[in-house]
Amino acid sequence: METISIFETKEKNTKKGVKESFPVTGMTCASCAASVESVLKHTEGVFDANVNFANSSVLIEYDEGLNPNQLQNALREVGYDIIIDAGDPSEVQQELQQKHYQDIKSRTIWSAILTLPIFVLGMFYMQWEPGKWISLVLAFPILFWFGRSFFINAFKQAKHGKANMDTLVALSTGIAFIFSVFNTFFPEFWLSRGIEPHVYYEAATVIITFISLGKLLEEKAKSNTSSAIKKLMGLQPKTLKIIENGEEKEVPISSVQVGQTILVRPGEKIPVDGAVSKGSSYVDESMITGEPVPVQKSQGEKVFAGTVNQKGSFQFTAEKVGGETLLSQIIKMVQQAQGSKAPVQKLVDKIAGIFVPVVLSISIVTFIVWMSVGGDNAFSQALLTSVAVLVIACPCALGLATPTAIMVGIGKGAENNILIKDAESLELGHKVNAVILDKTGTITEGKPLVTDIFWKDKLENKNEYKEILLAIEAQSEHPLAEAVVNHLKEENIVQAEITSFESITGKGVKAQSENGSKYYVGNHKLMVERNIQIDATLIQTAESLEEKAKTVIFLGNENQVLAILAIADRIKETSKKAIATLQERGIEVFMLTGDNNKTASAVAHQVGITNYQGEVMPSDKAAFVEKLQTDGKIVAMVGDGINDSHALAQANVSIAMGKGSDIAMDVAKMTLITSDLQSIPKALELSKRTVLGIRQNLFWAFIYNIMGIPIAAGVLYPVNGFLLDPMIAGAAMAFSSVSVVANSLRLKRVKL
């Protein structure tokens, strides 16, 4: 078994300049993101710009001499803006995002309320004359107030000679509305020609409402991305206590200077990076290493901002403050990893870019041909056929193809304990060919447990010793003592009385029972120092346990060791099987952990992973993800801790364990509610099935258009005199939507 080298590509080639992330306002679609990026990249002094549409930010690398105001002015000229002068740009951005979300929510709700009566009138009271006028009055605000963004965006796209989903929506609903208004005011125009004047208000308004709902769901997903950064920032306390001239003084975090002495009390978060100068304590560093066992910190040892002090008090000297602390670096790296992703250009937008000009051309050609050969009714036939072409090409089925499959896929995932926050991860999952697993909390249970107890041969009164051990460990401040206490309590052991208790730093504890006997609980060194005899069998067992990366604790009286206890973070029962399933599917599995190499090796060996690395820092995990991506891999990262958040943000598909930190869950696009790793192969299988469903849906959406558009244009007229009425074109369009929805629902019956 060999460890992997993850440090080969850590150093990236970067151009000289300032790299900064700014919140962007005014973007409403993926095309807007592309426009912002394009404008910035063409601004003099900008080396590179990457827009993240998901969290409305842009990562710009620009010349030191360039003023951010110049970047702002360049964007303002084309209708967008970046926030550069706010006290807290992230807060301003969140406020704007929240306002935008509320705006879309309000528009969607009102559209739905007004669409319902129009739909009922259009479907069941078609011949009721007042119904047309009521529908007209209700449809006007739906299209041109609540649905105005589609028309504005379509216009913006047209200005750049482009088309997207908004263009299709604006075009089809606009034409259907204008045609319906004409038929409402001038029905005699068609009646005099023997044609029934139908209206299509319900088609236009249903499309606006449904697509608004899709945008609302998208905004809801986007608002989740910023909450991870907010929670990371919350790890740093706002104030801290410094020791000045021998006196304690509380100061804001922003005013702390390098070299100042800072006091940390039990339970407090460490505010900045530094080195312990006085006292000692155990510090929970799980946010950096992922390890659940607090680490002992004594004089001269480093402490990091955001980590949590446990039971002791200590003082330390500040060495790194502000943006230089490790926590600030993690926040910056997560922001950059989120911002460095290419904007997701939706498949439907790409299709729409080709589809819209083609449909428009067919409609115009249809009109011209009918005007040329239509005879006496040339204009009316030309108008009807060209409108029928636009109506049958309506994007309803196209618009439904992806969201319905995704929605059913997300529901199916929830049934299987897989929460999917971002459709992109569901679309990408089936391509994953490399999975990186964190160790603690992902492959293992994530908390230390007593795995074995071995007693001295022929020892009697074991229960009595267990009662004494419980009494000693209940008073101990050592992080592993809790595991012993929990284990003995599960065995219903009753705590004995002890008359004295003494902690021996770095080695263990000493206690005295009611009958005056002395007992020692600690490491091997403590037993040797006190000349306590250890049975040869127990020594061999202890060595064997340590080889398996377990921590061994000795319980002895004044003469001999009575028992040894092994404590370890237990591997989950299903981890090995889940990893084997992934490997059988041809997916490479890697393990990265902040824990030491010996433990990493032991765990990797037990679960069948040959590629692993121990003692890995958070940035190293992200660098390894990047390295695999550079090698052409589609990478899924699975983790549970704050230390995994950077790598999760960098990965193509990010999966958080449900029992992990809130921050990991906020960054990850998928969360496994269960701690069972077998949900990972299930999630990847779900992705495969969903993508297949989307492709089938797009096929159905297009087959109707390919067959329907020529018929709507009147190609059958010379053969059998058949002309497609726009009303039938509308029904055909509705039928294509039904087939797409029905196909998506089939996914519900799939067994993962």
Side-chain angles (χ1 to χ4, degrees):
M1 191 182 293
E2 290 182 358
T3 59
I4 48 176
S5 174
I6 67 166
F7 304 105
E8 289 168 10
T9 57
K10 278 176 66 179
E11 292 301 323
K12 286 171 57 185
N13 292 327
T14 51
K15 294 170 186 172
K16 192 185 173 186
V18 182
K19 211 171 188 178
E20 203 168 349
S21 184
F22 297 96
V24 185
T25 60
M27 292 194 300
T28 54
C29 61
S31 299
C32 294
S35 300
V36 168
E37 205 168 274
S38 174
V39 169
L40 288 171
K41 279 181 178 173
H42 287 92
T43 304
E44 200 177 339
V46 174
F47 300 135
D48 197 13
N50 281 300
V51 173
N52 185 338
F53 179 56
N55 65 8
S56 302
S57 69
V58 58
L59 180 67
I60 311 174
E61 191 176 359
Y62 59 97
D63 191 274
E64 284 175 350
L66 187 71
N67 191 319
N69 284 322
Q70 291 172 262
L71 301 170
Q72 192 176 42
N73 291 337
L75 282 179
R76 281 180 175 174
E77 280 179 21
V78 287
Y80 306 107
D81 203 350
I82 52 172
I83 300 166
I84 55 169
D85 49 2
D88 186 348
S90 299
E91 199 172 311
V92 175
Q93 186 190 26
Q94 277 173 25
E95 280 173 17
L96 288 170
Q97 266 188 350
Q98 191 59 28
K99 196 178 164 192
H100 186 53
Y101 171 71
Q102 291 300 338
D103 185 38
I104 292 182
K105 188 177 173 184
S106 162
R107 278 193 267 149
T108 308
I109 291 170
W110 278 108
S111 294
I113 291 170
L114 296 182
T115 296
L116 186 64
I118 299 175
F119 181 76
V120 172
L121 288 171
M123 289 289 116
F124 306 108
Y125 302 97
M126 284 175 280
Q127 302 305 323
W128 188 47
E129 195 56 29
K132 295 177 184 175
W133 294 96
I134 295 170
S135 297
L136 168 61
V137 172
L138 294 176
F140 192 83
I142 296 174
L143 261 75
F144 303 112
W145 183 247
F146 303 123
R148 64 187 184 280
S149 61
F150 297 108
F151 294 91
I152 293 167
N153 293 336
F155 179 69
K156 280 184 185 174
Q157 291 291 319
K159 276 206 305 184
H160 293 94
K162 292 177 182 173
N164 66 356
M165 187 71 184
D166 290 336
T167 315
L168 272 182
V169 174
L171 201 62
S172 61
T173 57
I175 295 282
F177 181 79
I178 292 167
F179 191 65
S180 300
V181 170
F182 180 84
N183 289 356
T184 305
F185 280 96
F186 309 105
E188 63 279 1
F189 177 83
W190 299 108
L191 289 170
S192 63
R193 289 164 174 79
I195 298 169
E196 186 68 25
H198 292 294
V199 293
Y200 307 98
Y201 296 118
E202 78 287 351
T205 52
V206 165
I207 292 168
I208 294 283
T209 302
F210 201 88
I211 295 179
S212 295
L213 180 64
K215 297 231 172 202
L216 179 69
L217 295 173
E218 192 179 306
E219 283 300 317
K220 177 77 180 164
K222 276 167 63 181
S223 66
N224 287 331
T225 58
S226 57
S227 57
I229 303 292
K230 204 174 171 184
K231 284 179 183 167
L232 271 173
M233 288 172 173
L235 289 175
Q236 195 170 37
K238 303 268 185 215
T239 59
L240 55 92
K241 295 176 190 76
I242 59 167
I243 304 293
E244 205 170 67
N245 302 323
E247 287 187 5
E248 190 182 315
K249 186 178 168 188
E250 187 160 337
V251 297
I253 187 86
S254 54
S255 64
V256 68
Q257 303 288 323
V258 171
Q260 283 184 317
T261 302
I262 296 164
L263 173 68
V264 184
R265 290 213 165 88
E268 288 182 349
K269 286 173 186 165
I270 292 165
V272 295
D273 294 357
V276 176
S277 56
K278 189 177 175 186
S280 71
S281 180
Y282 286 95
V283 175
D284 178 357
E285 291 192 333
S286 59
M287 64 155 282
I288 298 168
T289 63
E291 288 316 297
V293 182
V295 184
Q296 189 175 21
K297 296 287 178 183
S298 46
Q299 199 167 348
E301 287 185 284
K302 301 277 183 194
V303 288
F304 302 97
T307 56
V308 185
N309 181 27
Q310 299 295 294
K311 294 179 178 174
S313 261
F314 66 91
Q315 293 178 13
F316 73 97
T317 309
E319 290 180 346
K320 286 180 181 174
V321 300
E324 297 298 312
T325 65
L326 188 63
L327 177 64
S328 298
Q329 296 298 321
I330 291 175
I331 293 169
K332 202 178 279 182
M333 286 187 296
V334 171
Q335 279 175 329
Q336 287 188 358
Q338 286 185 332
S340 62
K341 281 185 181 172
V344 183
Q345 186 66 40
K346 291 176 184 169
L347 180 61
V348 176
D349 272 351
K350 282 183 183 172
I351 295 168
I354 305 162
F355 188 64
V356 174
V358 170
V359 170
L360 271 178
S361 305
I362 294 173
S363 181
I364 292 166
V365 169
T366 303
F367 188 86
I368 293 169
V369 170
W370 274 103
M371 284 299 285
S372 310
V373 299
D376 294 340
N377 285 327
F379 177 72
S380 51
Q381 301 290 23
L383 189 63
L384 274 180
T385 48
S386 55
V387 168
V389 166
L390 290 173
V391 171
I392 207 164
C394 175
C396 215
L398 203 59
L400 285 169
T402 303
T404 52
I406 294 282
M407 280 166 75
V408 176
I410 288 173
K412 187 75 188 170
E415 280 175 25
N416 287 277
N417 298 317
I418 305 159
L419 290 183
I420 298 157
K421 283 195 305 190
D422 188 329
E424 188 196 354
S425 59
L426 198 56
E427 289 181 42
L428 270 177
H430 73 289
K431 293 182 183 170
V432 165
N433 50 16
V435 171
I436 300 172
L437 300 169
D438 168 51
K439 179 183 76 68
T440 311
T442 303
I443 296 175
T444 65
E445 297 282 357
K447 57 179 181 181
L449 298 167
V450 174
T451 58
D452 313 270
I453 299 183
F454 295 93
W455 293 93
K456 186 179 181 305
D457 276 350
K458 298 174 185 172
L459 188 74
E460 293 178 352
N461 302 326
K462 288 176 188 170
N463 260 8
E464 192 181 312
Y465 293 126
K466 282 183 182 176
E467 288 168 7
I468 291 167
L469 177 64
L470 175 59
I472 297 170
E473 290 295 69
Q475 290 199 32
S476 173
E477 289 186 353
H478 194 281
L480 293 181
E482 194 182 338
V484 179
V485 170
N486 291 338
H487 180 80
L488 294 175
K489 281 185 176 173
E490 279 173 15
E491 287 188 15
N492 295 321
I493 301 297
V494 182
Q495 192 172 317
E497 290 292 328
I498 52 173
T499 53
S500 71
F501 179 90
E502 183 190 336
S503 180
I504 305 161
T505 308
K507 290 169 192 164
V509 294
K510 173 185 169 187
Q512 190 167 338
S513 67
E514 278 184 310
N515 62 12
S517 301
K518 288 177 184 166
Y519 291 92
Y520 296 87
V521 179
N523 55 22
H524 184 247
K525 206 172 173 182
L526 178 68
M527 303 297 134
V528 173
E529 265 185 20
R530 304 283 163 159
N531 291 321
I532 300 168
Q533 295 298 312
I534 310 175
D535 191 272
T537 316
L538 285 180
I539 288 184
Q540 283 177 3
T541 310
E543 285 171 355
S544 162
L545 290 168
E546 280 172 346
E547 278 174 16
K548 291 178 186 168
K550 294 184 179 183
T551 305
V552 178
I553 294 175
F554 294 76
L555 164 67
N557 57 22
E558 288 171 279
N559 307 314
Q560 60 181 345
V561 167
L562 306 169
I564 57 171
L565 294 90
I567 296 177
D569 185 6
R570 198 183 291 161
I571 293 170
K572 292 174 191 170
E573 286 178 11
T574 53
S575 294
K576 190 174 182 179
K577 193 177 173 189
I579 289 161
T581 307
L582 290 170
Q583 288 167 336
E584 280 165 16
R585 291 185 187 177
I587 297 170
E588 281 186 86
V589 182
F590 302 86
M591 186 187 83
L592 301 182
T593 175
D595 209 345
N596 63 66
N597 276 319
K598 192 175 174 184
T599 309
S601 169
V603 172
H605 178 69
Q606 288 178 61
V607 295
I609 294 178
T610 52
N611 301 311
Y612 65 90
Q613 173 83 44
E615 296 174 9
V616 178
M617 292 295 282
S619 58
D620 297 332
K621 289 188 179 182
F624 185 61
V625 173
E626 209 174 341
K627 180 191 168 196
L628 291 180
Q629 287 170 332
T630 311
D631 294 343
K633 303 272 186 195
I634 305 294
V635 184
M637 172 73 203
V638 188
D640 73 322
I642 297 164
N643 62 321
D644 301 317
S645 54
H646 183 194
L648 286 168
Q650 179 67 43
N652 303 94
V653 176
S654 46
I655 304 171
M657 305 303 291
K659 289 182 180 171
S661 74
D662 288 351
I663 290 160
M665 282 188 270
D666 283 343
V667 172
K669 301 295 169 62
M670 286 190 194
T671 298
L672 307 181
I673 303 170
T674 167
S675 60
D676 186 352
L677 279 192
Q678 293 194 78
S679 293
I680 299 170
K682 281 186 186 176
L684 302 184
E685 179 66 20
L686 177 64
S687 162
K688 187 180 164 188
R689 300 291 186 128
T690 308
V691 169
L692 181 66
I694 291 171
R695 287 176 183 163
Q696 288 168 342
N697 286 347
L698 289 173
F699 168 78
W700 283 114
F702 274 102
I703 202 76
Y704 275 99
N705 280 315
I706 290 166
M707 290 168 63
I709 288 175
I711 297 172
V715 291
L716 294 179
Y717 188 79
V719 182
N720 56 12
F722 178 75
L723 266 182
L724 190 68
D725 187 289
M727 185 65 189
I728 299 171
M733 176 207 76
F735 190 63
S736 71
S737 302
V738 170
S739 64
V740 161
V741 172
N743 187 53
S744 294
L745 290 173
R746 281 195 317 126
L747 193 61
K748 288 182 85 168
R749 295 199 297 273
V750 168
K751 196 171 180 183
L752 296 176

